Amino acid sequence: MKGILLHGGHGTRLRPLTHTGPKQLLPIANKPMSQYCIESMRESGVKEIVIIIGGAGSNKVKEHYGNGEKFDVKISYIEQDYPRGIAHAIRLCKEFVGNDKFLVFLGDNIIQRPIIDYVRNFTDSDAAASILLCEVDNPSRFGIAEVKNGQILRIMEKPKNPPSNLAVTGIYLLTPKIFDIIDRLKPSWRNELEITDALHMLLEEKNKIIYNMITDYWKDTGTPDDIINANGAILEKMTPYFHARKESNVSVEGKVMVGEGTVIKSGAKIIGPVIIGDNCTIESDTIVGPNTSIGNNSKLAKCQISNSIVMGDCNIESNIKIKNSIIAYNSTINYDPKEHDSKVFLLGEGTRITL
């Protein structure tokens, strides 16, 4: 089975984080979110993968994944000139897929369980497609499936009056039958070729679509809050490790992952779950966590940071409380407040704040 990873789109809801690169490379627990998709594919036996790229920072995708060798897969690339929909992106892969069944993974979807059983079930079935469904609180934001007595009746994209709360996740198992369907699709009101429309047409033409329910964690990381939520969930599942140098009088509580070359100074406090990358400095009177990721080569001093993501090469020296924030690479915060202020930040790459 071959794999398709969709890595395009503009990520407008995540600006300014996505002004300098694709949202799928934003780190969750110090790893690009799309890397979790690559690893999930590999663990399910999918070793030949094409990545659909397009938009800002496509070169960064190629730089990170290369030919796939360091991820134990084979990777090639196809460029989508403009976001024309998931179905359009899939259609670009017809030659790559050939006559094989294939797996499609949206690069901004995080799932916390192996998908190998779903892949095997589909491989052994006579179904034209298999989808993964998950109950959600806000179904009008998603493609939705209407299911009755174990059968899918309808699939629709972001309905105003959803017939169910069963979201179609961004993980699709398909056969080459889908290409003929896509060739006959008409663009939606968004001027895109919708995968939900293609799946519904498969149903209407009496093709079999099977489904599985995801009862573990799944997140479509379309907003900053989604990314912060996913970050906390991933941290909770990680195996603790501590390769740093810790001075005396350092408090460490809960699940903590700390990289090599990092120094945690006397008087600092780490409250897990927390991940701190390599070659970081956590100064005295600094509190990190819970639910917080700190990227490589970052320095924190005097601050309190919780429920947040601080990417690599950041420098925060300020007597403030930072919460529910995402601070992109190479950002600096030097701020001397009169009081111990509490702040929420969404900072793009290279931001400087000095007050």
Side-chain angles (χ1 to χ4, degrees), residues 4 9-10 15 35 43 89 107 136 175 188 203 231 268 287 322 330:
I4 299 171
H10 292 309
R15 290 174 180 169
Q35 190 172 322
E43 290 162 6
V136 295
T175 67
S188 68
L203 278 177
N231 186 68
I287 302 175
I322 297 173
N330 195 32

Side-chain angles (χ1 to χ4, degrees), residues 216-233:
D216 302 78
Y217 183 89
W218 166 76
K219 180 66 71 175
D220 171 8
T221 53
T223 68
D225 285 345
D226 291 334
I227 292 176
I228 291 170
N229 181 288
N231 186 68

Side-chain angles (χ1 to χ4, degrees), residues 158-172:
K158 297 181 175 67
K160 291 182 179 179
N161 298 300
S164 79
N165 68 338
L166 300 179
V168 180
T169 70
I171 304 166
Y172 311 92

Side-chain angles (χ1 to χ4, degrees), residues 19-34:
H19 278 312
T20 54
K23 65 179 179 177
Q24 299 90 343
L25 286 185
L26 295 175
I28 294 176
N30 285 0
K31 187 187 331 183
M33 65 176 78
S34 58

